[in-house]
Amino acid sequence: MNVDFDRIVHNGTIITMGPKSEIIQNGFIGIKQGKIAAIGSSIGEEPLVSATETIDAENGLIMPGLVNTHTHMPMAMFRGLADDLPLDTWLNEYIFPAEAAHINPENVRLGTMLSCAEMLLSGTTTFCGGYFFEDHVADVVAGVGMRAVLGQGVIDFPAPGVPDPQNNVKAAASFVEKWRDKSPLIRPSIFCHSPYTCSQDTLKNAKTAAETTGVLFQIHAAETKNERQMIQTEGLSTPVQFLKDLGILDGQTLLVHAVWVDEEDIEAIKENGSSVSHNAESNMKLASGIAPVHKFLKEGIAVGLGTDGCASNNDLDLLQEMDMVAKLHKVNTLDPTVMDAETVLRMATIGGAHAIGLGDMVGSIEIGKEADLIVIDTDQPHLTPMYHPISLLVYAARGSDVRHAMVSGTPLVRDRKLLTIDETGVMKKMQKLSRAIAVGGGSAANV
Ligand SMILES: [Zn+2]
């Protein structure tokens, strides 16, 4: 093979997650201009292949970077601040007041940077989410070099950065306008908090703004039994039917959670081509319930995994989330064949990429796709022996096993060292900020 590559990743087992789910032993991947240019089963005639850099996977696993379909990056600053509470108490008595007191551009940047560090070190290269001061989130993420679909949060009460809720949709639309062509790594989006914190007019206007610009519309929906009851007491049917009747369900809508859904709701999601973000650990921690994910998948609905924000999980480790997802659905259905390892890994990679509209770009190792790759170090007691690589990943691997990570062929983690983030400095600043949050004083940090 007489080809020059910018980079080669070789000497590992490649889990492609392509349409045929090929697993390639002793594989190599050639990268040119940020894209996957060659995939093979050995490095071939080495003298004829040259590259600026060669990354040796040392018999580990080479796979697509993980895709986290739902999170709130800056909320890393509230990790462990208030646990073991019901969602409404947690939100109204702790999270919303803490956000009102501490969310400012500097803290948002610091929380985002910490989340980027945690995600990259645990194998996530792409994520989707939204928050306030999203312009600052996007700026930090683009600077770090990660890929993301980001939405400025829309909510019908005074929010950080948008004191007058009358301007919430306008602020979200300006964010989209600003980031439309600003960075190849950032896809802007519109993120409405939920059907119970946004009025019908807000929801419709926000969806119209998303449609006009052709961007993804994200919304927490059918998360808790309480939400469903609230909507029903207003004489409406279910959160999903409510959104359907407003004209919000379509192929550009991502429903986050979708726990309290019935057969008719599932049909509506399927008919309208909407996708779902499954946040098992967050739903477990807040005791919200268990989304009927196997039914979604059976209906061909695109489903991805999400960690949700750090305050309700309390980490962003998708490898750990996968293990939890596989086991949760088995015990819930009393069927060990439900949610097999490959199905779960699909949701964490290509399934998630499709759910957020990036399926043609990332989520699998295929020629022409972006070289968003991670390498897992399997030379460890808890990952030995390896009969089935995918089983090993889902049931035994954890975030700390990720050794290298790259986005569009650019290395962001090498030998577990972050290349674009000052990890120690970020943690130090966050420790300082957390002391201020704990005493309710608030503080600005600079990143
Ligand atoms: Zn969320």
Side-chain angles (χ1 to χ4, degrees):
M1 190 186 294
N2 190 8
V3 185
D4 290 332
F5 296 111
D6 300 330
R7 281 193 178 82
I8 290 171
V9 185
H10 74 112
N11 194 26
T13 300
I14 302 177
I15 298 176
T16 61
M17 299 316 288
K20 292 183 191 155
S21 285
E22 305 95 328
I23 291 181
I24 302 167
Q25 307 291 339
N26 190 25
F28 85 95
I29 297 171
I31 299 161
K32 215 168 164 56
Q33 291 176 341
K35 292 191 164 44
I36 297 168
I39 308 167
S41 60
S42 82
I43 200 159
E45 295 169 44
E46 229 166 311
L48 298 179
V49 179
S50 66
T52 314
E53 187 186 20
T54 300
I55 297 170
D56 188 346
E58 294 183 12
N59 294 316
L61 298 175
I62 305 168
M63 59 177 292
L66 300 172
V67 178
N68 186 343
T69 57
H70 182 66
T71 190
H72 312 283
M73 301 292 273
M75 290 189 85
M77 74 179 83
F78 302 130
R79 187 196 320 263
L81 177 67
D83 297 326
D84 311 322
L85 296 164
L87 178 70
D88 50 351
T89 316
W90 176 77
L91 265 181
N92 294 317
E93 292 178 27
Y94 293 88
I95 297 302
F96 288 155
E99 286 180 334
H102 302 288
I103 295 303
N104 56 47
E106 292 75 15
N107 291 349
V108 160
R109 294 180 79 88
L110 180 61
T112 301
M113 193 67 92
L114 183 67
S115 288
C116 285
E118 184 185 356
M119 279 187 172
L120 283 172
L121 286 171
S122 54
T124 294
T125 51
T126 294
F127 66 92
C128 176
Y131 203 64
F132 308 114
F133 293 116
E134 200 65 16
D135 186 37
H136 291 275
V137 174
D139 191 49
V140 171
V141 173
V144 165
M146 287 183 77
R147 192 181 305 286
V149 178
L150 303 174
Q152 160 74 24
V154 173
I155 196 160
D156 271 340
F157 49 76
V162 188
D164 181 357
Q166 301 261 24
N167 296 328
N168 54 15
V169 175
K170 207 171 131 208
S174 333
F175 169 77
V176 171
E177 205 45 51
K178 182 168 177 186
W179 284 90
R180 270 180 99 168
D181 300 307
K182 203 169 174 198
S183 161
L185 296 171
I186 306 294
R187 282 263 180 108
S189 160
I190 287 190
F191 175 47
C192 277
H193 181 265
S194 68
Y196 63 94
T197 50
C198 295
S199 70
Q200 296 196 17
D201 278 348
T202 299
L203 291 167
K204 280 196 283 193
N205 292 340
K207 180 61 186 175
T208 303
E211 272 173 344
T212 313
T213 44
V215 301
L216 185 74
F217 176 88
Q218 313 171 49
I219 185 164
H220 295 121
E223 181 176 2
T224 62
K225 194 176 181 181
N226 201 18
E227 173 190 340
R228 192 179 162 109
Q229 282 167 346
M230 247 190 310
I231 296 221
Q232 284 174 332
T233 49
E234 284 175 31
L236 303 159
S237 47
T238 66
V240 170
Q241 298 291 329
F242 167 65
L243 293 174
K244 181 190 155 196
D245 294 344
L246 285 180
I248 280 173
L249 294 195
D250 63 20
Q252 289 269 74
T253 289
L254 175 72
L255 299 173
V256 177
H257 299 305
V259 173
W260 289 87
V261 293
D262 56 26
E263 300 298 329
E264 218 179 310
D265 294 334
I266 296 173
E267 190 58 29
I269 298 170
K270 178 192 169 185
E271 288 290 303
N272 290 283
S274 300
S275 51
V276 170
S277 172
H278 177 41
N279 294 243
E281 285 193 41
S282 172
N283 297 152
M284 288 164 78
K285 183 161 181 273
L286 293 162
S288 302
I290 303 169
V293 173
H294 57 292
K295 291 186 182 172
F296 296 150
L297 293 172
K298 203 171 149 208
E299 296 299 330
I301 295 167
V303 185
L305 298 187
T307 55
D308 214 341
C310 260
S312 61
N313 186 305
N314 293 357
D315 62 62
L316 305 173
D317 182 347
L318 262 187
L319 280 156
Q320 193 184 319
E321 187 85 23
M322 281 197 280
D323 180 38
M324 202 68 82
V325 167
K327 290 170 183 166
L328 171 67
H329 290 281
K330 290 177 199 306
V331 74
N332 186 42
T333 55
L334 300 180
D335 180 357
T337 68
V338 159
M339 220 62 85
D340 59 78
E342 186 174 335
T343 301
V344 175
L345 184 59
R346 282 206 160 270
M347 289 193 287
T349 52
I350 187 66
H354 280 302
I356 60 171
L358 299 182
D360 293 336
M361 194 188 272
V362 296
S364 59
I365 297 178
E366 294 177 77
I367 304 272
K369 278 199 162 182
E370 297 292 325
D372 290 13
L373 308 172
I374 59 173
V375 174
I376 307 278
D377 174 11
T378 53
D379 190 18
Q380 309 186 68
H382 70 282
L383 298 180
T384 304
M386 178 164 65
Y387 296 110
H388 305 290
I390 292 181
S391 158
L392 195 77
L393 263 177
V394 173
Y395 294 117
R398 43 198 183 223
S400 52
D401 300 324
V402 173
R403 189 165 163 211
H404 308 299
M406 62 169 69
V407 170
S408 281
T410 303
L412 301 180
V413 177
R414 189 182 284 131
D415 288 317
R416 288 208 60 71
K417 293 275 174 294
L418 288 159
L419 303 181
T420 54
I421 300 175
D422 167 20
E423 185 184 341
T424 312
V426 170
M427 288 192 294
K428 216 167 145 184
K429 283 178 185 168
M430 186 54 83
Q431 289 292 5
K432 192 176 166 211
L433 172 61
S434 71
R435 286 192 286 274
I437 291 175
V439 298
S443 153
N446 298 304
V447 174

